Amino acid sequence: MGNCLDILRNFFCTKNPNVRISLPAVCFVWQIAMIVLFGVFIRYDEESDTGRWLELKKHENITSDVENDFYFRYPSFQDVHVMIFVGFGFLMTFLKRYSFGGVGFNFLIASFGLQWALLMQGWFHSLDHTTGKIYIGVESLINADFCCAGCLIAYGALLGKVSPVQLMVVTLFGITLFAVEEYIILSLLHCRDAGGSMVIHAFGGYYGLAISWVLYRPKLHQSSRLNGSVYHSDMFAMIGTLFLWMYWPSFNSAITDHGDGQHRAAINTYLALASSVLTTVAISSMSKKKGKLDMVHIQNATLAGGVAMGTSAEFMITPYGSLIVGFACGIISTFGYLFVTPFFEKYLKLQDTCGVHNLHALPGMLGGFIGAIVAASASEAVYSKEGLINTFDFEGKFANRTVGTQGGYQAAGTCVSIAFGIVGGACVGLVLRLPIWGDPADDNCFDDEVYWEVPEEEESIHPILEYNNHMVHKHQDISESNFSVEQS
Amino acid sequence: MGNCLDILRNFFCTKNPNVRISLPAVCFVWQIAMIVLFGVFIRYDEESDTGRWLELKKHENITSDVENDFYFRYPSFQDVHVMIFVGFGFLMTFLKRYSFGGVGFNFLIASFGLQWALLMQGWFHSLDHTTGKIYIGVESLINADFCCAGCLIAYGALLGKVSPVQLMVVTLFGITLFAVEEYIILSLLHCRDAGGSMVIHAFGGYYGLAISWVLYRPKLHQSSRLNGSVYHSDMFAMIGTLFLWMYWPSFNSAITDHGDGQHRAAINTYLALASSVLTTVAISSMSKKKGKLDMVHIQNATLAGGVAMGTSAEFMITPYGSLIVGFACGIISTFGYLFVTPFFEKYLKLQDTCGVHNLHALPGMLGGFIGAIVAASASEAVYSKEGLINTFDFEGKFANRTVGTQGGYQAAGTCVSIAFGIVGGACVGLVLRLPIWGDPADDNCFDDEVYWEVPEEEESIHPILEYNNHMVHKHQDISESNFSVEQS
Amino acid sequence: MGNCLDILRNFFCTKNPNVRISLPAVCFVWQIAMIVLFGVFIRYDEESDTGRWLELKKHENITSDVENDFYFRYPSFQDVHVMIFVGFGFLMTFLKRYSFGGVGFNFLIASFGLQWALLMQGWFHSLDHTTGKIYIGVESLINADFCCAGCLIAYGALLGKVSPVQLMVVTLFGITLFAVEEYIILSLLHCRDAGGSMVIHAFGGYYGLAISWVLYRPKLHQSSRLNGSVYHSDMFAMIGTLFLWMYWPSFNSAITDHGDGQHRAAINTYLALASSVLTTVAISSMSKKKGKLDMVHIQNATLAGGVAMGTSAEFMITPYGSLIVGFACGIISTFGYLFVTPFFEKYLKLQDTCGVHNLHALPGMLGGFIGAIVAASASEAVYSKEGLINTFDFEGKFANRTVGTQGGYQAAGTCVSIAFGIVGGACVGLVLRLPIWGDPADDNCFDDEVYWEVPEEEESIHPILEYNNHMVHKHQDISESNFSVEQS
């Protein structure tokens, strides 16, 4: 009987991070499911199907192939693609011994996520009810990458504490929730959110935080020796930071209106980001003795301006308006790293490895409300009558909406995204507490050894060190009894 | 007499990796040859020559500069350029002490190769027989980069075992062979191969493998301590992997037809690559105890889907077809790393440092045959009549070719590329066995010390280590006789 | 009295690298100034303002949004943006313990510089005198990034020897001087300088050298242990090198004429850079025993061809002309690293950390004169009449200028840029000698510890090393008197 209890306790309490069956099973089964669903639903759209593009050109009197949406969006798509895989991936390599997991699991879940996103977003946004098919083009690829971004943000809060199988589950549900909240916000509430302050950053941030809160590990300090960076891992993380920072203008302009819309969104984001860097440096320097800068702030808070411009980048927020947004968000985000993350950990029992609250959740929420204010204060004098209609898509059944009403809906959309993130994350967190996912023990967190074949150390290439070790061992033989060996 | 024999043996058997005369000589002479040949043959084409572009615009009623091919292809060109120099370069930095050689020699041979490729491809494809000139534009630059890719793939099989002078020779002959086989496959057999499954990957892979086979080193195990990665060198390699992976859609779409062709090729490649990642992770995890992932697989096999889509990306293979190709190739490539490379080394005496067989040769060959099947099964129902003609270029003397015949020619083209790779590589390998090229000794392979000024170790910045060493030396003075110093 | 003198001497002579007040103050005050000035002066131009773009389309009968300048220049802008932040940033990470400062301060000053550049260049080039506003679009962003490049080049000469506050001052004055010399050279002298051989590289290089000369530190050898690279810092620097090298065609073509101009500039730069690589390798190999290559040369001199093509890339210099320029500059630049930099340090008391003289100042000056020669030898036979007018902008009050005169003005422009660099740099250097900027002491140069929170060493993850250290300490206790501990 006691034996039986022991087995049960063992089953429920001992961590067994062996994913040799579960990880391959999940990858194979889900990838096969993707193939079947793509076979049933996904087809090329009329700009990527050879017969239909020729037809479209004739039908609409298009004289040049340069009118194909590919040429409007492909450069931005590639920039976004770099942000998803190198940007997010390398940003998460800052831990001294979790760089493989940071960039590798990011790679895995984004590769699955983008396929599932094409389906989910397709069902909600572009299912052709006459043929029952989803037609995809370059804009669908950008949206699928955006959708992944939400889950990668959530991964930031969980970094080092979950198994790859759990991450696949986080992604499966995350993409699903994303598609639903996006449908509600963009289609039902008719909000504008080109760079996704609300639908991507606020949702993704709170989704990850809620999961992390449910998965709270009281004994995480047992891994604290690994919960930090080393010199070169900080440099790898700077690769991620800079590619995110540089390409963020493409992120916020990738799916905005052709012409002035993409042009303006890029300018606004460029300015907000520049402004964030200066205030991040200022606060970081003020907070440490002798004015030393902290790499954590430079790697993260400098990006807050881009997050906060996600909604309003395409609006006529004015260049100095963009600077002000970046100015404020650099300060807020750095303060978050200084005070809010430690507060969360101590009082809310919320462990946020990368500080996604400060980089995504909070600036995303602010970005949503900034968007609401900018929308509400739009005027024909600034936008022109036709420009107002174009920018806010006041057409069809929304033809009579005023900018004031639009502002209200934008604010409502922000709340919807946060609610989806928190409630959805809490539920997914409960699922992840099942003892079947192979997550690491508390003293094994932030350690690549658990899920990766890690190469041996460099000793063999340092003759002096090796000799050194050799000698130490010699001495050990002689004097072993004289002191106790301490290895942390 | 014995002395004389000794000198001869010395000359032919002792490795002398001093390239102080040969490397500068090769670089100078070949670069001067390039300048002379460019002076005789190469001119701007009509879209990059100021007078002729103005004329062309008038002549063809082109109203906007955006019709210049530059705007259709330049973003893709830059992506391909990044793949060649950062993608291939950093992918080859995974060895613990050959990162300089990986990225540096890649830089050298690609810089020479692209010049020679402009000439060789120009002579075969775009020599104007009335003026005797080759006219180059952005598409020529992309093709020159593609041509280099073949040689860089071959470098992967030779990594760490050859001198830079040998690599220059490999490149000179590789580009030459490439231009010939490409002419046979694309012009004579009229195959389609936009992303180069056949002409780039199958050719380059088998070319490198054949050279490596001829250069077999039975005592290579003497360098085995250096034939592996360390933690941070694996991270550098991931930079290469990700830039290859992200920009592969540009690689396969860079020279396809304007409009739907480029659009479709990008979508197909994007999907195949995503699918490859999941099956690579699955097989990698299954193959190791506790389901641990192997960085070698993640760095390489995830790219197999892109290689295998090289031929069929521009066809109407359908989105789920792309997923299936990626699915299969991720599995096959990972199995290659697990079983085929060790088998090759043990039984075929073939040392393939980067496993180019599993990443390029085999998926490239498969890609060629997949292309044949997809071409043979093309139909007017799917492509439309005009679309079929556009996609397969059934014009001029090929106007009456059927898709079935086309499929046969595609398969024949694949065989031609493999034959060129193997036979050409074997011949070049024999040339490289001459004892004049300065290749490293068996116990000096995979070591940057041979060809690079390598900075001293970091001791001086670790006070404790330095002190440590200091102390050890002190002890050594005292107790040297008591034990033997082993330095590997 | 003596006490008083001591305090004075202390104030003027002791270095106190505490920037806790000055750095935040500078960042905040200058960023607020930017917001105010942007509020007063900066507006969207007619291609990024929603109302005005719609108007412009109607007015000029533009049928497609693809005519928006965004689609002509945005891909090049993003490439330039990557060069500024990742290219220059990572190129400066080569020092073993100044990688944070290299990439981090680069990030800070470019983010400030681009805002100030939008204003300065706006006032000189695009101030609308009727409205008193500066209208910005994507071309303004590219120009702002270019303007930053000048200051980042100057930073290369100062790397490791100045405080971030000094760098902000260098940037403030650098951007100001840049805008003035650019106005004189491009507008008054009507020179062509699309890729900035003169206005960016020659100016930036000599500006940095002059500052460094004024700030000469006779006791800099006290930091010599840190003035060098380690294996992995050299690899990080190669990331910078390659992104600069690959994207340089975009740099030189970003703001040239639409159509053939951008097309030709990209081809010429591509070729010159390839040629530079071969001659750099040749000279580097010749200069060392056993023909070993030096990473410093590969990281820097390979880029000289791009610098030297800055002026003439858009001209009809011919493809082989480009190869010749690259050939020569690779040689000259490598010789610079071998002989000129040591000569400067020894005899001119000029410490040039990154060797910007060899990579920017000298090739930039050469590029200016090459541009003068190519311009003077332009002919209608090569350019066509209309092409000549387009390329050299012989319109308005310059309609009657001959190509010979143009060549003379180009040469004059080069001299102006150098004069501005040297005189401006000397003045700024004097300002920077004030003892208020928090620069590091002579024995603290090249050390991130001064301005950054640097993570602790990796010992804790190397059990053997830690055990090792432990043991050494044990021994130390026992045998301390027997030898003296030397820590450098």
Side-chain angles (χ1 to χ4, degrees):
Chain A
M1 180 65 199
N3 202 350
C4 211
L5 263 177
D6 267 14
I7 289 169
L8 262 176
R9 177 181 304 146
N10 223 28
F11 181 73
F12 282 108
C13 301
T14 311
K15 301 288 188 182
N16 177 14
N18 185 336
V19 292
R20 193 169 180 182
I21 293 164
S22 53
L23 183 58
V26 164
C27 288
F28 270 129
V29 172
W30 293 8
Q31 184 59 56
I32 290 168
M34 289 300 114
I35 292 173
V36 172
L37 290 168
F38 269 59
V40 176
F41 288 104
I42 306 266
R43 297 292 178 272
Y44 302 120
D45 73 2
E46 58 189 2
E47 309 202 38
S48 56
D49 180 303
T50 181
R52 294 173 67 205
W53 172 242
L54 291 167
E55 219 172 279
L56 186 76
K57 279 171 73 177
K58 270 177 214 156
H59 189 259
E60 303 205 353
N61 258 327
I62 295 169
T63 53
S64 164
D65 280 321
V66 83
E67 294 289 327
N68 194 303
D69 198 35
F70 183 79
Y71 300 103
F72 287 91
R73 306 218 183 268
Y74 190 70
S76 309
F77 159 66
Q78 275 296 2
D79 294 350
V80 171
H81 214 42
V82 171
M83 292 173 73
I84 298 297
F85 289 90
V86 160
F88 282 105
F90 273 86
L91 189 61
M92 289 194 272
T93 62
F94 72 99
L95 289 172
K96 62 180 82 164
R97 280 282 134 167
Y98 207 72
S99 302
F100 287 8
V103 72
F105 295 150
N106 182 83
F107 194 17
L108 170 65
I109 63 180
S111 296
F112 167 69
L114 61 88
Q115 299 177 53
W116 181 228
L118 282 171
L119 285 162
M120 283 300 302
Q121 292 186 314
W123 285 322
F124 276 105
H125 290 285
S126 53
L127 188 67
D128 182 325
H129 291 284
T130 59
T131 62
K133 303 296 179 199
I134 297 160
Y135 296 100
I136 61 168
V138 65
E139 194 172 337
S140 321
L141 307 189
I142 298 171
N143 274 312
D145 273 15
F146 277 5
C147 202
C148 292
C151 296
L152 301 179
I153 291 165
Y155 179 28
L158 307 171
L159 187 71
K161 300 176 296 183
V162 290
S163 76
V165 183
Q166 285 179 310
L167 286 172
M168 292 292 281
V169 175
V170 166
T171 307
L172 181 77
F173 288 112
I175 301 282
T176 311
L177 288 162
F178 184 100
V180 176
E181 56 111 26
E182 188 191 38
Y183 177 71
I184 294 171
I185 294 171
L186 301 191
S187 300
L188 302 187
L189 302 180
H190 194 70
C191 296
R192 302 289 297 175
D193 194 19
S197 286
M198 308 186 250
V199 299
I200 300 170
H201 297 286
F203 166 75
Y206 285 106
Y207 178 62
L209 290 169
I211 297 173
S212 188
W213 180 71
V214 176
L215 297 182
Y216 179 68
R217 287 166 178 268
K219 294 185 184 165
L220 190 62
H221 58 84
Q222 292 177 354
S223 295
S224 66
R225 75 194 181 288
L226 292 173
N227 191 1
S229 65
V230 291
Y231 199 70
H232 282 163
S233 71
D234 267 330
M235 290 304 299
F236 282 114
M238 276 306 286
I239 297 174
T241 299
L242 286 175
F243 275 101
L244 286 173
W245 194 91
M246 296 179 304
Y247 285 155
W248 215 293
S250 299
F251 194 91
N252 286 350
S253 70
I255 57 165
T256 52
D257 293 337
H258 289 178
D260 65 286
Q262 289 194 278
H263 204 149
R264 189 169 54 251
I267 295 172
N268 288 333
T269 312
Y270 171 91
L271 292 173
L273 286 163
S275 182
S276 276
V277 174
L278 273 92
T279 51
T280 299
V281 167
I283 302 291
S284 182
S285 177
M286 279 170 68
S287 70
K288 300 280 158 125
K289 65 174 199 287
K290 296 196 177 173
K292 292 188 182 189
L293 297 170
D294 188 327
M295 260 290 166
V296 172
H297 306 157
I298 308 299
Q299 281 159 8
N300 292 283
T302 50
L303 300 165
V307 174
M309 289 301 287
T311 302
S312 45
E314 61 178 329
F315 302 157
M316 296 283 288
I317 189 175
T318 74
Y320 65 91
S322 306
L323 289 182
I324 293 171
V325 171
F327 187 92
C329 287
I331 296 172
I332 292 168
S333 183
T334 315
F335 271 117
Y337 281 94
L338 288 167
F339 304 113
V340 182
T341 302
F343 174 86
F344 274 8
E345 181 145 4
K346 198 161 177 191
Y347 298 102
L348 296 193
K349 302 198 176 307
L350 201 170
Q351 292 148 338
D352 177 7
T353 315
C354 292
V356 302
H357 174 267
N358 317 307
L359 173 49
H360 297 283
L362 187 59
M365 186 181 71
L366 288 173
F369 291 122
I370 292 165
I373 295 165
V374 176
S377 57
S379 68
E380 274 189 26
V382 173
Y383 287 74
S384 83
K385 189 176 167 60
E386 202 185 337
L388 206 59
I389 293 169
N390 277 2
T391 304
F392 293 99
D393 243 353
F394 288 154
E395 285 165 337
K397 62 177 179 175
F398 302 104
N400 296 318
R401 192 180 268 191
T402 65
V403 293
T405 323
Q406 179 69 24
Y409 277 105
Q410 297 277 147
T414 311
C415 300
V416 169
S417 71
I418 297 169
F420 257 84
I422 293 176
V423 177
C427 299
V428 172
L430 288 174
V431 173
L432 295 182
R433 294 196 68 166
L434 292 177
I436 56 172
W437 305 116
D439 47 325
D442 288 341
D443 58 347
N444 261 331
C445 287
F446 313 120
D447 194 349
D448 274 336
E449 288 282 355
V450 182
Y451 301 113
W452 295 86
E453 297 277 329
V454 177
E456 284 169 40
E457 277 318 307
E458 310 198 25
E459 285 92 347
S460 59
I461 55 168
H462 294 261
I464 278 183
L465 284 187
E466 196 162 337
Y467 158 67
N468 213 341
N469 295 336
H470 172 91
M471 194 185 136
V472 168
H473 287 291
K474 277 276 172 190
H475 274 272
Q476 188 178 7
D477 298 342
I478 302 165
S479 55
E480 199 140 40
S481 58
N482 294 336
F483 57 90
S484 63
V485 180
E486 281 169 31
Q487 297 194 356
S488 76
Chain B
M1 181 62 199
N3 203 352
C4 211
L5 262 178
D6 266 13
I7 288 169
L8 260 176
R9 177 179 305 145
N10 224 26
F11 181 72
F12 282 108
C13 301
T14 311
K15 302 288 188 181
N16 177 15
N18 186 335
V19 292
R20 193 171 179 181
I21 293 165
S22 53
L23 183 59
V26 164
C27 288
F28 270 127
V29 173
W30 294 9
Q31 184 59 56
I32 291 168
M34 289 301 113
I35 292 173
V36 173
L37 290 168
F38 269 60
V40 177
F41 288 105
I42 306 266
R43 297 292 178 272
Y44 303 119
D45 73 1
E46 59 188 2
E47 309 201 38
S48 56
D49 180 302
T50 182
R52 294 174 67 205
W53 172 243
L54 290 167
E55 217 173 281
L56 186 76
K57 279 171 75 176
K58 269 177 215 155
H59 190 257
E60 302 205 353
N61 257 325
I62 295 170
T63 52
S64 164
D65 280 322
V66 82
E67 295 288 326
N68 194 304
D69 200 34
F70 183 80
Y71 300 103
F72 287 91
R73 304 215 184 272
Y74 189 71
S76 308
F77 159 67
Q78 275 296 3
D79 294 349
V80 170
H81 214 41
V82 171
M83 291 174 74
I84 298 298
F85 289 90
V86 160
F88 282 104
F90 274 86
L91 189 60
M92 289 195 273
T93 61
F94 73 99
L95 290 171
K96 62 181 82 164
R97 281 280 135 168
Y98 207 72
S99 303
F100 287 9
V103 72
F105 295 150
N106 182 83
F107 193 19
L108 171 65
I109 62 180
S111 296
F112 166 70
L114 61 87
Q115 299 177 54
W116 181 227
L118 282 171
L119 284 163
M120 282 301 302
Q121 294 187 314
W123 285 322
F124 275 106
H125 291 284
S126 53
L127 188 68
D128 182 325
H129 292 284
T130 59
T131 62
K133 304 294 179 202
I134 296 160
Y135 297 99
I136 60 168
V138 66
E139 195 171 338
S140 321
L141 306 190
I142 298 172
N143 274 311
D145 273 15
F146 277 5
C147 203
C148 292
C151 296
L152 301 180
I153 291 165
Y155 179 28
L158 307 171
L159 186 73
K161 300 175 297 182
V162 290
S163 75
V165 184
Q166 285 179 310
L167 286 173
M168 292 292 281
V169 175
V170 166
T171 307
L172 181 77
F173 288 112
I175 301 281
T176 312
L177 288 162
F178 184 101
V180 177
E181 57 112 26
E182 187 191 40
Y183 176 72
I184 294 172
I185 294 170
L186 300 191
S187 299
L188 301 187
L189 303 180
H190 194 71
C191 297
R192 302 289 297 177
D193 193 19
S197 286
M198 307 186 251
V199 299
I200 299 169
H201 298 285
F203 166 75
Y206 285 107
Y207 179 62
L209 290 170
I211 296 173
S212 188
W213 181 71
V214 175
L215 296 182
Y216 179 68
R217 288 166 178 267
K219 294 182 184 165
L220 189 61
H221 58 83
Q222 292 177 354
S223 295
S224 66
R225 76 194 179 288
L226 292 173
N227 190 1
S229 65
V230 290
Y231 198 71
H232 282 163
S233 71
D234 267 329
M235 289 306 298
F236 282 114
M238 275 307 285
I239 297 173
T241 298
L242 286 175
F243 275 101
L244 286 172
W245 194 91
M246 296 179 305
Y247 285 155
W248 215 293
S250 298
F251 194 91
N252 285 350
S253 70
I255 56 163
T256 52
D257 293 336
H258 289 178
D260 65 288
Q262 289 194 279
H263 203 148
R264 190 167 55 249
I267 295 172
N268 288 332
T269 311
Y270 171 90
L271 292 173
L273 286 162
S275 183
S276 276
V277 175
L278 273 92
T279 52
T280 298
V281 167
I283 302 291
S284 183
S285 176
M286 279 170 68
S287 71
K288 300 281 159 123
K289 65 175 198 290
K290 294 196 179 173
K292 291 187 183 189
L293 296 170
D294 188 327
M295 259 291 167
V296 172
H297 306 156
I298 307 299
Q299 281 159 8
N300 293 281
T302 50
L303 300 166
V307 174
M309 289 301 290
T311 303
S312 43
E314 61 177 330
F315 302 157
M316 296 281 289
I317 190 174
T318 72
Y320 66 90
S322 305
L323 289 183
I324 293 170
V325 170
F327 187 92
C329 287
I331 296 172
I332 292 167
S333 183
T334 315
F335 271 116
Y337 281 95
L338 287 167
F339 303 114
V340 181
T341 302
F343 174 87
F344 275 9
E345 179 143 7
K346 198 160 176 192
Y347 296 103
L348 296 194
K349 302 198 176 308
L350 202 170
Q351 291 148 337
D352 177 6
T353 315
C354 292
V356 300
H357 174 268
N358 317 306
L359 174 49
H360 297 284
L362 187 59
M365 185 180 71
L366 288 174
F369 291 122
I370 291 165
I373 294 165
V374 176
S377 57
S379 69
E380 276 189 26
V382 172
Y383 287 74
S384 84
K385 190 176 166 59
E386 203 184 337
L388 207 60
I389 293 169
N390 276 4
T391 305
F392 293 100
D393 243 350
F394 289 154
E395 285 166 337
K397 64 177 179 173
F398 301 103
N400 295 318
R401 192 181 268 191
T402 64
V403 292
T405 323
Q406 180 67 25
Y409 277 105
Q410 297 278 147
T414 311
C415 299
V416 169
S417 72
I418 296 169
F420 257 83
I422 293 176
V423 177
C427 299
V428 172
L430 287 174
V431 172
L432 295 182
R433 294 196 68 168
L434 292 176
I436 54 174
W437 306 115
D439 47 326
D442 288 342
D443 57 347
N444 262 332
C445 287
F446 314 120
D447 194 349
D448 273 335
E449 287 283 355
V450 182
Y451 301 112
W452 296 86
E453 297 278 328
V454 177
E456 282 170 40
E457 278 319 306
E458 309 198 27
E459 286 93 346
S460 59
I461 55 168
H462 295 262
I464 277 184
L465 284 186
E466 195 162 337
Y467 158 66
N468 213 342
N469 296 335
H470 173 90
M471 194 184 138
V472 167
H473 287 292
K474 277 277 171 190
H475 274 271
Q476 190 179 5
D477 299 342
I478 302 164
S479 55
E480 199 141 40
S481 58
N482 294 335
F483 58 88
S484 63
V485 179
E486 281 169 32
Q487 298 193 356
S488 75
Chain C
M1 180 65 197
N3 203 351
C4 211
L5 263 177
D6 267 13
I7 288 169
L8 261 176
R9 178 180 303 147
N10 224 26
F11 181 73
F12 282 107
C13 300
T14 311
K15 302 288 187 181
N16 177 14
N18 186 337
V19 292
R20 194 172 179 179
I21 293 163
S22 53
L23 183 58
V26 164
C27 288
F28 271 127
V29 172
W30 293 9
Q31 184 59 54
I32 290 167
M34 289 301 113
I35 291 173
V36 172
L37 290 169
F38 269 59
V40 177
F41 288 106
I42 306 266
R43 298 292 178 271
Y44 304 119
D45 73 2
E46 58 188 2
E47 311 202 38
S48 56
D49 180 303
T50 182
R52 293 175 67 204
W53 172 241
L54 290 167
E55 218 172 280
L56 186 76
K57 279 171 75 177
K58 269 177 216 156
H59 190 259
E60 303 205 354
N61 257 327
I62 294 169
T63 53
S64 164
D65 279 322
V66 83
E67 294 290 327
N68 194 302
D69 200 35
F70 183 79
Y71 301 103
F72 287 92
R73 306 216 184 270
Y74 188 72
S76 308
F77 159 67
Q78 274 296 1
D79 294 350
V80 171
H81 213 42
V82 171
M83 291 174 73
I84 298 299
F85 289 89
V86 160
F88 282 105
F90 273 87
L91 189 61
M92 290 194 273
T93 61
F94 72 99
L95 290 172
K96 62 180 82 164
R97 282 281 135 168
Y98 207 72
S99 303
F100 288 8
V103 72
F105 295 150
N106 182 83
F107 193 19
L108 171 65
I109 61 181
S111 296
F112 167 69
L114 60 88
Q115 298 176 54
W116 181 228
L118 281 171
L119 284 162
M120 283 301 302
Q121 293 187 314
W123 284 322
F124 276 107
H125 291 285
S126 52
L127 188 67
D128 183 326
H129 291 284
T130 58
T131 62
K133 303 295 180 200
I134 297 160
Y135 297 99
I136 61 168
V138 67
E139 196 172 338
S140 322
L141 307 191
I142 298 171
N143 275 312
D145 273 15
F146 278 3
C147 203
C148 292
C151 296
L152 300 180
I153 291 165
Y155 179 29
L158 308 171
L159 187 71
K161 300 176 295 184
V162 289
S163 76
V165 183
Q166 286 179 309
L167 286 173
M168 292 292 283
V169 175
V170 166
T171 306
L172 181 77
F173 287 112
I175 300 281
T176 312
L177 288 161
F178 184 100
V180 177
E181 56 111 26
E182 188 192 38
Y183 177 72
I184 294 171
I185 294 171
L186 301 190
S187 299
L188 301 187
L189 303 180
H190 195 69
C191 297
R192 302 289 297 176
D193 194 20
S197 285
M198 308 184 251
V199 298
I200 299 170
H201 297 286
F203 166 75
Y206 285 107
Y207 178 61
L209 290 169
I211 297 173
S212 187
W213 180 73
V214 175
L215 296 182
Y216 179 68
R217 287 167 177 267
K219 294 184 185 165
L220 190 60
H221 57 83
Q222 292 176 354
S223 295
S224 65
R225 75 193 181 288
L226 292 174
N227 190 1
S229 65
V230 290
Y231 199 71
H232 282 161
S233 71
D234 268 330
M235 289 306 299
F236 282 113
M238 276 306 286
I239 297 173
T241 299
L242 287 175
F243 275 100
L244 286 172
W245 194 92
M246 295 180 304
Y247 286 154
W248 215 293
S250 298
F251 194 91
N252 285 350
S253 70
I255 57 164
T256 52
D257 293 335
H258 288 178
D260 65 286
Q262 289 194 277
H263 203 148
R264 189 168 55 252
I267 294 172
N268 288 333
T269 311
Y270 172 90
L271 292 172
L273 287 162
S275 183
S276 277
V277 174
L278 272 92
T279 51
T280 299
V281 167
I283 302 291
S284 182
S285 176
M286 279 171 68
S287 70
K288 300 280 157 127
K289 67 172 196 290
K290 296 196 178 173
K292 291 188 183 188
L293 298 169
D294 189 328
M295 259 292 166
V296 172
H297 305 157
I298 307 298
Q299 281 160 9
N300 293 282
T302 50
L303 301 166
V307 174
M309 289 301 288
T311 303
S312 45
E314 62 177 329
F315 301 158
M316 297 282 289
I317 190 175
T318 73
Y320 66 90
S322 306
L323 289 183
I324 293 170
V325 170
F327 187 93
C329 288
I331 296 172
I332 292 166
S333 183
T334 315
F335 271 116
Y337 281 95
L338 287 167
F339 304 113
V340 181
T341 303
F343 174 87
F344 274 8
E345 180 145 4
K346 197 163 178 191
Y347 297 102
L348 296 193
K349 303 201 177 305
L350 201 171
Q351 292 148 337
D352 177 7
T353 315
C354 292
V356 301
H357 174 266
N358 317 307
L359 174 50
H360 296 284
L362 187 59
M365 185 181 71
L366 288 173
F369 290 121
I370 291 165
I373 295 165
V374 176
S377 58
S379 69
E380 274 188 26
V382 172
Y383 286 75
S384 85
K385 190 176 167 59
E386 201 184 337
L388 207 58
I389 293 170
N390 277 3
T391 305
F392 293 99
D393 244 350
F394 288 155
E395 285 165 336
K397 63 177 179 174
F398 301 103
N400 295 320
R401 192 181 269 193
T402 64
V403 292
T405 323
Q406 179 68 25
Y409 277 106
Q410 298 277 147
T414 311
C415 300
V416 169
S417 72
I418 296 168
F420 257 84
I422 293 175
V423 176
C427 300
V428 172
L430 287 174
V431 173
L432 295 183
R433 292 196 69 166
L434 293 177
I436 56 172
W437 305 115
D439 48 325
D442 288 342
D443 57 348
N444 261 332
C445 288
F446 313 119
D447 194 350
D448 274 334
E449 288 282 356
V450 182
Y451 301 112
W452 295 86
E453 296 277 328
V454 177
E456 283 170 39
E457 277 318 306
E458 308 199 28
E459 285 93 347
S460 60
I461 56 168
H462 294 260
I464 278 183
L465 285 186
E466 195 160 337
Y467 158 66
N468 215 341
N469 296 336
H470 172 91
M471 195 185 135
V472 167
H473 286 292
K474 278 274 169 190
H475 274 272
Q476 190 177 6
D477 298 343
I478 301 163
S479 55
E480 199 141 37
S481 56
N482 294 336
F483 58 89
S484 64
V485 180
E486 281 168 32
Q487 298 193 356
S488 77

